[in-house]
Amino acid sequence: MSASLDKGINALKQQVDATVAAFFSSCVHCGICAEACLFYTETGDPERTPINKTEPLRRIWKSEYTLMGRLGKLFGLGKKVDDKLLADWETLVYDSCTMCGRCSMVCPVGNDITLMIRKTREGMAAAGHAPEGLIGASKRSVTIGSPMGVKLPALLAQVRHVEEDTGLKVPLDVVGAEYMLLLSSMEIMNFPEFIGAIAKIFDRANVSWTISTEAFEATNSGIQIGVSDIAAELVQRIVDAAEKLRVKTVISPECGHAYMAIRWDGPNLVGKKFGFKVRHVLEVLDDLRQQGRLKTSGMEKGKLTYHDPCQISRRGGVIDEPRRLIDMVSDNFVEMPDHGKMNWCCGAGGGVSANERADEIRLKVFQRKKDQFDAIRPDAIVSACSNCRIHLEDGLEEYNMDIPLLSLTEMIAEHLAGDDRAGAA
Amino acid sequence: MMKDQSIQDGSPELVTPEARKPDKGTLGEALHRQGVSRRSFMKYFASTASMLALPPAMLPVIARALEQTRRPSVIWMSFQECTGCTESFTRAHTSTLEDLIFNAVSLDYHHTLQAAAGHAAEAAREAAMEENYGEYLLVVDGSIPAGNPGYSTIAGVSNLDMLKETAKGAAAIIAVGTCSTFGGIPQADPNPTGAVSVGDIIKDKPIVNVPGCPPIPVVMTGVLAHFLTFGTLPELDHLGRPKTFYGKSIHDRCYRRPFYDKGLFAETFDDEGAKKGWCLFKLGCKGPTTYNACATVKWNDGTSFPIEAGHPCIGCSEPDFWDGGGFYRALSMPTENIAKTAVYTAAGAAAAGVVLGAMNRAKKRASDKIHIKVTIDDLEK
Amino acid sequence: MTEIELLNWARGPGLQIATIIFVAGVVIRIIEILMLGRKPNLAEAKGSEMSAGLKTMVSRTVPDRATFKRSSFTITAGYFFHLGLFITFFLFAPHILLIKDVIGFGWPALPTPVVDAFAVITIISLLAVLVNRLTNKVMRYLTNFGDLLTWFLTLAPLITGYIAFHRIGFTAPTLLAMHILSVELLLVVFPFTKLMHAFTLFLARWYNGAISGYRGVAS
């Protein structure tokens, strides 16, 4: 119980760097970022303007790192950061932001507002102003190993089911395997078919892979609550396991923030380059496709579209791979208006879905996705993030829309060529 | 005439007190003596009236007034001047209006034009002042060195003292030429003599400023004619200049204005644009900010004016035209070396910026140092 | 002080003072920003930072279709007045003389009547921009004193320039002095306001492009 305002302010001070300074210096209050944020467009609440969410960070930058701001501070002028500000900003920084990155794409002066909101969370959390749901998830992640409290026995139980269903072995703790697969708790508990799909595909493609029983959790609550120290601890577990098993590549599964956490933030959190590669499962599948090791047969019936998970597409760089994979099994693929790196967030990432207080607004902003779906009326929506999937299903149900949500990996697995050989050991 | 003879004589003992008295005849008589017919008289005053922008109905009034007017005493004081104003005034063309007006007044003291010199000249001035106390017109050209009055003296008396003394009994003062109206070229940086204008010294007399370096001849005579006709000074602008002549800028009456408006400028004195008569803005023309009658009345009896001759207006009827950055620096150009300032400032600021930047980095390092690792037990207050 | 002396002061010492404050302010702020630095990125790069950064510096000028549709007035009015400012300042013959005097070279000017027309368009755009700022929900929420001040300081040179050129209201030296002084006021206040974006937006866009480009995304 030792969060404090001082710690929060110090954290914000640490977070200011050249990028933050350049961004705040350039903001001209044009408000265009609001029009890119579904939490504004679907609520009309100007407080939810992305750049406004960074106000605590801005005040610290101004008063600590600018000449005029420092002079102002000397004379008691200038706006301060206090508990009231942070308390008022909690629902803006956490409940109304998934760190989807759309604002960063449209700001005319080039501000990466998402980065600044991420940095603002460091101060909020250290000062004790993070949402209860995220605090709980972080505690569980650190003490149990999973934000949802999924322990090893639960994983092993699912693994057994998968092995029964597929007739394939799921390799555990194999030293020297090429790939080490991570799994999000969401997948383990709600979509274990994913594990089966991976087993099938890797078996057919002759991929050497494994899952570590010491570090299988992909979800990183530290990233969501915005505490690098906690995020680093969680990443280190994966690093230790990958080094112990001497794998060449760690695979991030169909989970949004997990990819950002391990692929792009990971080495910077632990302060060291990784001795192994990190790839998203879609990147691995696309590689296999390129090498001719992934053969499919048959086409999906019906019109498909792809929902780009923000942390994988726009923030992650895996944009073309899913489309190349979909092309293998569909000749009726339609892009949503605003697709690819400009796709709209589902509304549940960045810790929003772990925050019960945000349930109402999360469902409200689904309207944005609904409008996208309504424009093209797909027969099925493909995606590659279980969190998006759960939330989109919630939203579709809320609006009585009967459109199935498909996992891309699972879809590929269903179309593996020579499926009759699946039974062979 | 006795007066003329006495002045031509030059030696004091031959000039009797009576001879020294100014001629009090009327203008009409003077002109008649000159052999000017009534018809010419009316023509000349018609053009005077139009110069002054007076309605034609006023013509008989002007004519009668001028005809009957007694030749007023005019004392012309020359201080730190180049005599250009006098030169302009006296460009003698046969039977010019200027010439006639000149004779309409009793010019009782003028360094260049008077025949007397030395003590006789000063004596003539003092006599005129005494005789016409409170009624004479004081015309001044040249600036007054206030920095060290010794810089310019006449008969051992500083310009400053002489101006003050002569102004006391004047009905009005006409400051002729930019030196006396605004300080003029003697005032140019660093102004070694401390040159000032008449208006800087005399505060209790009506002053008409007739600037120009030199002023246009007819402008000077127009002011005099107004005084002769109405006994009052013409309507003046905020700088004390007669609105009739200084109410419009050169720019607003310049025949090259269409080129300015279109954006067609001569780049050098002899390029194609210059040959085509394009606007001289880029060559430093101060027409836009200069108020005078050059573009309409012109010089040398309407022959031409600087711009028409291909040279940019130097703004000679405005204050400070000597320190406006240079005659060939356009109005939109700075008068000082901005590039040098910018470079030196950037260098100094870079040093200051590095210091501030180092302070920023130190602050960041300090905050990193005091950072205590945040654990799951540190997320609540 | 006569109006000509005021004009000459504006063209001389006034401009010197404004230049000093402007240059010092801009240089200090940019160095303040750059010296904060960034931690090196230890993740495996997917794309090049430098080329992505440079690309975004240019590409961010063009909004994507959806964003434009949602903010068409803000974007259009913004472009009109920025373009107008550029044209009226950089392509007007008397201004080019000033620039040439300071940096050593100039360029051909647009015909004066064209610049005059653009001045009017720019003034109207700026008025529209203010109306937008005060009526648009988001902008109204974000707007502070600095926004209004900079709006005024940007408009003043345009209006004083227009009336100086057309010689409306006061005598010529006063009009020209007002114009030059309004620019000097703008220069003096510039480094302390969001107007710094004129310089820092290149840094911001580069950082944005670099950060995304590292991850293989063109932003």
Side-chain angles (χ1 to χ4, degrees), chain C residues 106-132:
Chain C
W107 45 81
L110 273 182
T112 301
V114 174
V115 177
D116 193 37
F118 269 102
V120 175
I121 292 172
T122 312
I123 290 171
I124 293 174
S125 310
L126 273 172
L127 292 170
V129 156
L130 183 70
V131 169
N132 190 34

Side-chain angles (χ1 to χ4, degrees), chain A residues 141-411:
Chain A
S141 290
V142 172
T143 54
I144 300 172
S146 140
M148 285 169 72
V150 173
K151 296 197 177 120
L152 181 59
L155 169 67
L156 294 175
Q158 296 292 56
V159 164
R160 259 198 307 278
H161 287 312
V162 163
E163 285 176 336
E164 275 161 25
D165 285 341
T166 61
L168 295 168
K169 189 98 178 62
V170 173
L172 299 172
D173 296 326
V174 174
V175 178
E178 190 176 342
Y179 293 98
M180 183 177 96
L181 176 69
L182 300 172
L183 294 163
S184 67
S185 292
M186 187 76 82
E187 280 160 327
I188 298 170
M189 297 321 295
N190 295 325
F191 306 114
E193 307 80 31
F194 172 78
I195 307 173
I198 289 287
K200 281 198 240 169
I201 296 170
F202 281 179
D203 171 70
R204 197 61 52 84
N206 225 336
V207 171
S208 116
W209 66 292
T210 188
I211 296 176
S212 164
T213 54
E214 286 174 9
F216 54 83
E217 177 63 63
T219 323
N220 193 315
S221 299
I223 294 290
Q224 294 177 343
I225 196 174
V227 178
S228 293
D229 290 335
I230 293 175
E233 189 175 331
L234 299 174
V235 167
Q236 190 61 47
R237 293 175 187 175
I238 298 170
V239 173
D240 290 340
E243 286 176 349
K244 189 165 171 188
L245 297 178
R246 296 205 293 276
V247 298
K248 291 219 187 69
T249 302
V250 168
I251 301 180
S252 188
E254 288 191 347
C255 169
H257 269 90
Y259 185 60
M260 174 59 83
I262 187 71
R263 175 67 176 93
W264 299 115
D265 284 345
N268 298 308
L269 288 167
V270 301
K272 243 176 59 174
K273 283 194 182 162
F274 287 168
F276 50 87
K277 292 211 185 94
V278 177
R279 291 289 181 269
H280 191 267
V281 60
L282 295 181
E283 289 180 285
V284 174
L285 295 182
D286 190 55
D287 267 345
L288 294 176
R289 179 198 63 82
Q290 266 183 302
Q291 292 167 38
R293 290 162 72 183
L294 184 63
K295 297 266 201 290
T296 60
S297 71
M299 289 286 175
E300 282 285 311
K301 292 188 259 300
K303 188 168 22 163
L304 295 185
T305 190
Y306 181 70
H307 161 77
D308 295 88
C310 306
Q311 300 305 316
I312 296 170
S313 284
R314 175 170 41 254
R315 305 292 282 173
V318 180
I319 307 171
D320 297 328
E321 291 86 338
R323 285 158 173 87
R324 288 197 283 263
L325 291 166
I326 291 176
D327 274 347
M328 292 176 86
V329 296
S330 169
D331 51 12
N332 191 359
F333 174 70
V334 165
E335 295 275 17
M336 295 185 243
D338 301 328
H339 53 270
K341 68 186 181 196
M342 287 310 287
N343 211 328
W344 289 86
C345 181
C346 69
V352 171
S353 60
N355 179 359
E356 253 185 68
R357 185 179 59 197
D359 277 351
E360 201 186 314
I361 189 167
R362 178 167 57 85
L363 275 168
K364 182 147 195 229
V365 302
F366 173 81
Q367 179 69 44
R368 185 81 282 278
K369 296 306 293 183
K370 177 177 183 302
D371 286 346
Q372 278 190 296
F373 300 144
D374 285 342
I376 52 167
R377 302 200 171 283
D379 296 314
I381 302 161
V382 184
S383 194
C385 166
S386 342
N387 199 32
C388 294
R389 211 167 141 189
I390 286 267
H391 166 67
L392 287 174
E393 280 175 357
D394 275 351
L396 289 166
E397 199 188 305
E398 176 88 1
Y399 287 87
N400 295 316
M401 292 165 80
D402 189 19
I403 310 175
L405 242 310
L406 307 177
S407 141
L408 179 45
T409 306
E410 288 170 35
M411 192 173 75

Side-chain angles (χ1 to χ4, degrees), chain C residues 5-170:
Chain C
E5 283 164 335
L6 179 65
L7 172 62
N8 287 339
W9 184 87
R11 289 171 68 208
L15 192 52
Q16 294 281 45
I17 294 169
T19 301
I20 291 171
I21 296 176
F22 175 72
V23 170
V26 170
V27 168
I28 286 175
R29 279 201 78 164
I30 291 181
I31 295 183
E32 254 181 353
I33 291 172
L34 291 172
M35 279 190 73
L36 279 167
R38 295 192 286 163
K39 285 215 194 89
N41 199 332
L42 301 170
E44 184 199 339
K46 195 168 174 183
S48 151
E49 275 206 329
M50 180 52 81
S51 63
L54 291 173
K55 276 209 193 95
T56 302
M57 272 164 84
V58 178
S59 69
R60 200 46 83 93
T61 308
V62 184
D64 73 286
R65 269 188 81 242
T67 307
F68 180 76
K69 281 229 286 269
R70 285 176 181 271
S71 308
S72 47
F73 190 91
T74 303
I75 295 175
T76 307
Y79 271 115
F80 261 95
F81 92 75
H82 275 90
L83 228 69
L85 280 174
F86 178 82
I87 290 172
T88 51
F89 179 58
F90 287 100
L91 299 180
F92 182 50
H95 292 163
I96 297 174
L97 284 178
L98 160 66
I99 296 170
K100 189 168 174 184
D101 193 57
V102 178
I103 66 174
F105 65 91
W107 45 81
L110 273 182
T112 301
V114 174
V115 177
D116 193 37
F118 269 102
V120 175
I121 292 172
T122 312
I123 290 171
I124 293 174
S125 310
L126 273 172
L127 292 170
V129 156
L130 183 70
V131 169
N132 190 34
R133 181 167 281 289
L134 298 175
T135 55
N136 174 300
K137 220 179 350 176
V138 170
M139 285 179 108
R140 208 178 35 232
Y141 179 80
L142 295 174
T143 295
N144 59 20
F145 172 74
D147 295 314
L148 300 171
L149 176 67
T150 52
W151 176 85
F152 173 76
L153 291 176
T154 306
L155 183 67
L158 278 163
I159 295 206
T160 53
Y162 185 82
I163 64 175
F165 179 78
H166 290 281
R167 306 162 87 76
I168 305 168
F170 297 93

Side-chain angles (χ1 to χ4, degrees), chain B residues 22 24 71-75 106 108 128-129 132 135-138:
Chain B
K24 291 289 197 201
R71 297 172 71 213
S73 170
V74 173
I75 294 176
S106 176
D108 293 330
M129 280 168 66
N132 302 283
E135 291 173 359
Y136 59 83
L137 271 184
L138 175 59

Side-chain angles (χ1 to χ4, degrees), chain B residues 14-348:
Chain B
L14 288 177
V15 178
T16 61
E18 288 79 16
R20 271 190 264 125
K21 276 192 196 149
D23 189 332
K24 291 289 197 201
T26 65
L27 173 60
E29 287 163 11
L31 289 171
H32 185 71
R33 267 198 301 275
Q34 298 271 355
V36 177
S37 71
R38 181 145 183 81
R39 193 182 157 70
S40 305
F41 179 91
M42 291 306 290
K43 254 175 56 187
Y44 289 131
F45 286 104
S47 45
T48 306
S50 80
M51 290 287 184
L52 290 168
L54 296 168
M58 292 248 19
L59 185 54
V61 179
I62 299 166
R64 197 174 17 240
L66 286 175
E67 212 175 1
Q68 301 297 326
T69 193
R70 285 171 61 210
R71 297 172 71 213
S73 170
V74 173
I75 294 176
W76 184 303
M77 308 260 25
S78 295
F79 296 137
Q80 285 192 140
E81 40 77 65
C82 68
T83 314
C85 297
T86 298
E87 292 290 338
S88 172
F89 200 52
T90 59
R91 281 311 89 193
H93 308 279
T94 49
S95 298
T96 57
L97 179 63
E98 294 87 296
D99 202 37
L100 292 168
I101 295 294
F102 217 131
N103 287 306
V105 305
S106 176
L107 191 58
D108 293 330
Y109 181 82
H110 190 299
H111 289 171
T112 316
L113 300 173
Q114 66 197 10
H119 292 297
E122 296 311 305
R125 176 176 62 77
E126 279 155 20
M129 280 168 66
E130 200 192 299
E131 180 77 27
N132 302 283
Y133 198 82
E135 291 173 359
Y136 59 83
L137 271 184
L138 175 59
V139 177
V140 180
D141 68 338
S143 63
I144 299 100
N148 181 344
Y151 273 120
S152 179
T153 64
I154 301 159
V157 178
S158 73
N159 292 168
L160 184 62
D161 289 338
M162 193 165 274
L163 171 64
K164 285 185 188 163
E165 205 201 304
T166 336
K168 276 202 206 116
I173 305 175
I174 302 178
V176 152
T178 309
C179 289
S180 58
T181 56
F182 302 130
I185 289 174
Q187 208 184 66
D189 196 40
N191 194 359
T193 64
V196 296
S197 67
V198 171
D200 287 333
I201 310 290
I202 306 298
K203 305 289 183 190
D204 59 350
K205 291 282 176 185
I207 302 176
V208 178
N209 286 329
V210 183
C213 191
I216 295 172
V218 76
V219 172
M220 292 188 269
T221 56
V223 172
L224 278 177
H226 191 286
F227 185 75
L228 292 171
T229 310
F230 302 106
T232 59
L233 299 174
E235 207 184 329
L236 306 176
D237 71 6
H238 59 286
L239 286 177
R241 304 175 295 197
K243 278 188 179 166
T244 340
F245 297 108
Y246 297 91
K248 284 272 174 261
S249 62
I250 307 298
H251 186 72
D252 286 330
R253 290 287 180 268
C254 182
Y255 78 104
R256 297 197 182 194
R257 179 67 178 277
F259 294 115
Y260 172 89
D261 288 337
K262 282 216 194 78
L264 296 167
F265 303 101
E267 308 274 343
T268 70
F269 280 105
D270 58 357
D271 68 358
E272 277 307 303
K275 290 182 186 146
K276 288 189 192 148
W278 286 358
C279 173
L280 301 172
F281 183 89
K282 287 195 179 184
L283 292 168
C285 185
K286 304 299 184 296
T289 51
T290 305
Y291 290 80
N292 207 340
C294 312
T296 45
V297 173
K298 300 196 193 176
W299 294 81
N300 293 314
D301 231 17
T303 303
S304 182
F305 71 113
I307 290 166
E308 196 174 334
H311 189 282
C313 165
I314 62 173
C316 73
S317 58
E318 296 292 330
D320 217 30
F321 79 86
W322 43 90
D323 279 337
F327 297 152
Y328 304 105
R329 287 184 80 80
L331 272 170
S332 61
M333 288 163 72
T335 59
E336 298 181 16
N337 191 339
I338 299 298
K340 198 161 94 161
T341 306
V343 169
Y344 283 145
T345 307

Side-chain angles (χ1 to χ4, degrees), chain A residues 1-3 5 10 14 16 64-65 70 83 127-129 135 138-139 142-143 225 227 229-230, chain B residues 356-357 359-361 363-364 366-381:
Chain A
M1 307 297 149
S2 58
L5 179 65
N10 193 60
Q14 288 182 281
V16 174
E64 302 290 331
Y65 294 105
R70 280 212 285 275
D83 273 309
H129 288 281
I135 294 176
S138 301
K139 283 184 173 164
V142 172
T143 54
I225 196 174
V227 178
D229 290 335
I230 293 175
Chain B
L356 289 164
M359 283 165 69
N360 281 352
R361 290 177 82 90
K363 187 177 278 195
K364 261 189 78 109
S367 64
D368 281 335
K369 252 210 179 97
I370 68 169
H371 173 85
I372 307 165
K373 193 156 160 198
V374 178
T375 69
I376 49 174
D377 296 319
D378 302 315
L379 299 173
E380 286 147 317
K381 283 223 203 272

